[in-house]
Amino acid sequence: MGLLIYLNGRLIPEDEAKVSVFDHGLLYGDGVFEGIRGYNGRIFKLDEHLRRLYASAKAIMLDVPLEFSELKDAIVQTVRANKLKDSYIRVVVTRGEGDLGLDPKKCRVPTLFIIASSIQLYPAEIYERGLNVVTVAVRRNLTEAVNPAIKSLNYLNNIMAKIEANSTGASEGIMLNNAGYVSEGTGENIFIVSKNSLFTPPVTAGVLDGITRDTVMDLGRGLGLEVEEKEMTRYDIFTADECFLTGTAAEIVPVVCLDGRPIGTGKPGEVTNRIRKEYTVLTMSEGVPIYE
Ligand code: PMP
């Protein structure tokens, strides 16, 4: 049986859930989105994701057609209608239907849809063995141009980086910003562990203010680590004890090799594994209940 999709106020079967070819989300990538996880009958960090969605929309002068609590309710209803216990939820707001010009003034009604689907888990061996990553030549968007803090439908910057990483046979690409500092992966934030400290680039380095990033910083403090947002170079990664990536879909993935150089022991690190465990405990115990 197909999914039930929320589209502009209605839950409809997936084969009827269509948007116009004149939608500026499609024509220009003019819109914003969120990727959210449901675990064990609950939605994890829903308020945090929605706050970021409204902030992204505000930053591009887009009105989300529902109030915060209405949208929250629509998401819960969509997951419930699909009877999902564990889920991956995509919330998308576009500028809506316009003409072939790029002027958003012509788009009168934003498009809002919610897809709640079952989650495609990453293979277990990725977490056991860790990732080989490469630095890509494609630089992360300038914060003064298309700010990476906005989770917009314009993902071409990340896709170009992913294509480059794929072409080298690496599992993921690390993007530098225009000043040459490390920003993030193509769809994940990056952390390193050095001695008793956890470091991640600041949002001003041109990264998405990741929800998992935030959770991991809290978990790190809880484990007694020093946690610091700090500009970093490839040197810092080469000489780190451990490295990992964070994201809603991937959760916490160990990185064991950058540009052909092993990081630390070349195996997933102890701190990374501890944080992974703590993260799993959180996902199983927190969140907005779907079926109460
Ligand atoms: N950076 C980018 C570019 C992303 O698209 C994402 C989300 N996939 C992340 C980082 C991780 O953010 P979050 O932890 O909020 O999923």
Side-chain angles (χ1 to χ4, degrees):
M1 218 199 55
L3 296 172
L4 286 169
I5 310 289
Y6 176 101
L7 175 60
N8 297 328
R10 294 193 309 141
L11 274 170
I12 54 175
E14 65 175 64
D15 51 1
E16 288 168 31
K18 302 268 169 21
V19 296
S20 165
V21 294
F22 291 99
D23 195 297
H24 279 209
L26 173 63
L27 287 175
Y28 294 112
D30 185 357
V32 295
F33 78 103
E34 277 299 320
I36 310 170
R37 287 277 292 268
Y39 296 89
N40 200 25
R42 294 193 174 95
I43 307 177
F44 192 57
K45 303 280 175 192
L46 181 54
D47 283 16
E48 287 81 351
H49 281 282
L50 290 184
R51 277 198 288 274
R52 188 172 65 187
L53 182 80
Y54 281 89
S56 293
K58 183 92 190 276
I60 68 163
M61 298 273 283
L62 171 64
D63 279 329
V64 178
L66 296 181
E67 298 295 330
F68 193 97
S69 62
E70 295 171 328
L71 180 54
K72 197 166 162 176
D73 203 42
I75 293 168
V76 171
Q77 295 303 334
T78 307
V79 181
R80 192 182 290 161
N82 288 286
K83 303 187 174 63
L84 296 162
K85 197 162 165 249
D86 298 310
S87 54
Y88 181 78
I89 306 154
R90 180 59 60 93
V91 183
V92 181
V93 189
T94 80
R95 193 74 65 182
E97 221 177 305
D99 61 20
L100 290 178
L102 61 77
D103 191 347
K105 276 208 304 279
K106 303 282 177 63
C107 305
R108 298 225 146 68
V109 190
T111 302
L112 166 62
F113 58 88
I114 304 163
I115 305 170
S117 184
S118 43
I119 173 82
Q120 299 270 316
L121 292 175
Y122 286 73
E125 65 167 54
I126 284 192
Y127 299 92
E128 281 149 26
R129 274 206 236 136
L131 295 178
N132 287 330
V133 304
V134 289
T135 313
V136 295
V138 175
R139 294 291 168 110
R140 192 75 178 101
N141 283 332
L142 275 181
T143 49
E144 299 83 354
V146 184
N147 193 333
I150 303 170
K151 198 163 170 59
S152 85
L153 293 178
N154 259 282
Y155 256 57
L156 209 44
N157 181 218
N158 314 60
I159 291 165
M160 298 299 284
K162 191 75 182 180
I163 289 171
E164 202 185 321
N166 287 346
S167 72
T168 70
S171 330
E172 182 54 286
I174 301 302
M175 304 175 80
L176 307 180
N177 64 23
N178 208 45
Y181 291 103
V182 173
S183 61
E184 58 183 338
T186 63
E188 303 89 21
N189 293 107
I190 188 166
F191 282 83
I192 55 172
V193 180
S194 277
K195 301 213 171 64
N196 208 28
S197 299
L198 201 54
F199 298 105
T200 192
V203 174
T204 49
V207 309
L208 186 72
D209 192 356
I211 311 288
T212 320
R213 173 183 180 274
D214 221 49
T215 307
V216 163
M217 288 198 285
D218 280 347
L219 288 177
R221 287 183 203 105
L223 289 171
L225 300 166
E226 289 289 320
V227 178
E228 201 184 326
E229 296 176 70
K230 186 182 86 145
E231 284 190 321
M232 60 171 84
T233 62
R234 290 199 315 155
Y235 167 89
D236 298 308
I237 305 178
F238 291 144
T239 57
D241 298 326
E242 304 180 26
C243 178
F244 59 86
L245 301 177
T246 65
T248 296
E251 302 178 330
I252 290 135
V253 201
V255 174
V256 293
C257 188
L258 172 67
D259 299 327
R261 305 180 188 208
I263 299 166
T265 61
K267 298 216 173 72
E270 202 183 301
V271 174
T272 307
N273 287 339
R274 259 161 64 203
I275 290 175
R276 273 190 61 211
K277 281 211 193 81
E278 298 270 335
Y279 189 78
T280 306
V281 171
L282 265 194
T283 59
M284 287 298 143
S285 54
E286 272 192 3
V288 175
I290 304 163
Y291 299 103
E292 279 169 17

